[in-house]
Amino acid sequence: MQRKAYVPGVAVLLTALLAGCTAGDDSGGSTGDAKQGDAGAAVPAAEPGRYRTLPEPCGALSRSTLDSLLPGIKENPDEEQRNKAYEGTATATYDTDRRVGCRWKAESADATHHLLVDLDRIVSYDSDVSDDQRAEEVYADKEKAAELPPSDTPSAGASDAPDPSSSTGPATASGKSPAGETSPKPDGSPGSSAPTGSGAPGGSGEPGDAGASGSTDGPDSTDSADNSGEPDDAATEDDLTDLLPRVLDDLGDAAFVDDALGSPGSAQRRTVTVVFRTSNVVVTIEYEAQPTVPGEPPSSREMQDRARNLAARLAERLSN
């Protein structure tokens, strides 16, 4: 009789335990699914930039381009030295897929010219920041360091476009440069953010070769022409606003030009810098002229036009 009373009690206890285990399994399964759903909702990493490599800069410029930028380079009587000047000197870099550069120098009877082309491919190591976003920050730092004048003046319109006739040959002695005796970056002077009105030139995409097509539409149209550029004798002081350091609206994704004139009292060196960004590559062009003897400083308009023409050709090459 005692055995019959014990068996039903054990059965009831086992039934209760099994019901509890089943309820626990259902709850645990539900919790696991919720965690998997949270993990699947993770935000994807930022996209990489458009450019994975960089062109070799010393070979990126044709001889005709260098002839227009470096007066006197082709007049060097020593063939070996002349060829070496055309080849340029590569800047030291630890990774040619990340940063490359090249320098050129040429002396003439009137001045010594220096040219630097630097290309920096930006890579972001933050999964939440894309390469393009990081390149925007690098470009913004360069623009801030240039201390451009405030862009609160009326738009200069088409007068800000590069002058194709200034892309060849040294500055002539006749007439006065629009900014010949005045630094284009005086303290407190307002700037101009007018669009330049000239796009990248057409052609094969090879910098300096577009001028051979004979077109008169683009900024490279006189790259291989004779030295027929003449200063604008009708230029006035109002034209200086077109030459102030400023943002450029028609070059790459963002761009600016800076123009610095050395202190007076000696042969004044002028340095024109053009910086532009295209996707995750930031390009810097530094173009410098040091007159041989004191006198009228190098033409601001002529040097800016030459540097901007080169920047347009490099931007086109990168886009292709």
Side-chain angles (χ1 to χ4, degrees), residues 3 9 28-29 31 72 78 88 94 100 114 116 130 159-160 162 164 173 188 201 210 229 233 237 261 272 274 290 318:
R3 177 179 294 177
T31 302
D78 189 310
Y94 70 93
V100 293
H114 298 263
L116 167 66
S130 69
S159 61
D160 188 43
D233 293 332
E237 291 299 319
L261 188 63
V272 172
V274 176
Q290 174 72 61
L318 286 170

Side-chain angles (χ1 to χ4, degrees), residues 2-254:
Q2 293 179 353
R3 177 179 294 177
K4 290 181 180 180
Y6 177 76
V7 173
V10 173
V12 172
L13 179 61
L14 290 174
T15 300
L17 290 174
L18 289 173
C21 291
T22 302
D25 290 344
D26 292 343
S27 175
S30 175
T31 302
D33 292 342
K35 289 181 180 179
Q36 291 175 3
D38 291 342
V43 178
E47 293 184 1
R50 173 183 178 183
Y51 300 102
R52 304 297 180 89
T53 60
L54 292 170
E56 197 284 302
C58 289
L61 306 188
S62 66
R63 290 202 170 195
S64 61
T65 298
L66 293 172
D67 287 341
S68 69
L69 289 160
L70 305 172
I73 188 171
K74 63 182 178 181
E75 277 78 26
N76 192 323
D78 189 310
E79 182 178 1
E80 183 177 353
Q81 292 183 3
R82 184 170 64 251
N83 290 335
K84 186 175 181 180
Y86 277 120
E87 290 172 1
T89 302
T91 56
T93 179
Y94 70 93
D95 186 351
T96 55
D97 283 336
R98 288 290 306 278
R99 187 165 191 171
V100 293
C102 193
R103 295 179 181 274
W104 293 265
K105 175 184 177 181
E107 298 179 353
S108 67
D110 299 324
T112 299
H113 288 79
H114 298 263
L115 175 66
L116 167 66
V117 174
D118 179 90
L119 298 93
D120 191 3
R121 186 175 69 89
I122 309 301
V123 177
S124 172
Y125 294 102
D126 186 340
S127 60
D128 295 329
V129 179
S130 69
D131 292 347
D132 282 22
Q133 290 172 323
R134 178 66 186 125
E136 290 177 6
E137 296 173 357
V138 172
Y139 168 83
D141 289 342
K142 288 179 175 288
E143 184 178 312
K144 181 179 179 180
E147 299 181 344
L148 305 182
S151 55
D152 55 1
T153 58
S155 172
S159 61
D160 188 43
D163 180 6
S165 65
S166 66
S167 64
T168 58
T172 60
S174 61
K176 179 179 289 187
S177 167
E181 297 178 351
T182 307
S183 170
K185 193 175 182 181
D187 294 338
S189 298
S192 172
S193 60
T196 59
S198 62
S204 64
E206 196 62 34
D209 291 340
S213 65
S215 171
T216 59
D217 295 333
D220 192 33
S221 59
T222 58
D223 185 51
S224 59
D226 57 8
N227 298 335
S228 59
E230 292 293 338
D232 184 5
D233 293 332
T236 65
E237 291 299 319
D238 293 338
D239 294 327
L240 295 179
T241 59
D242 298 343
L243 302 176
L244 289 169
R246 62 203 179 279
V247 170
L248 304 175
D249 296 331
D250 67 341
L251 179 61
D253 296 318

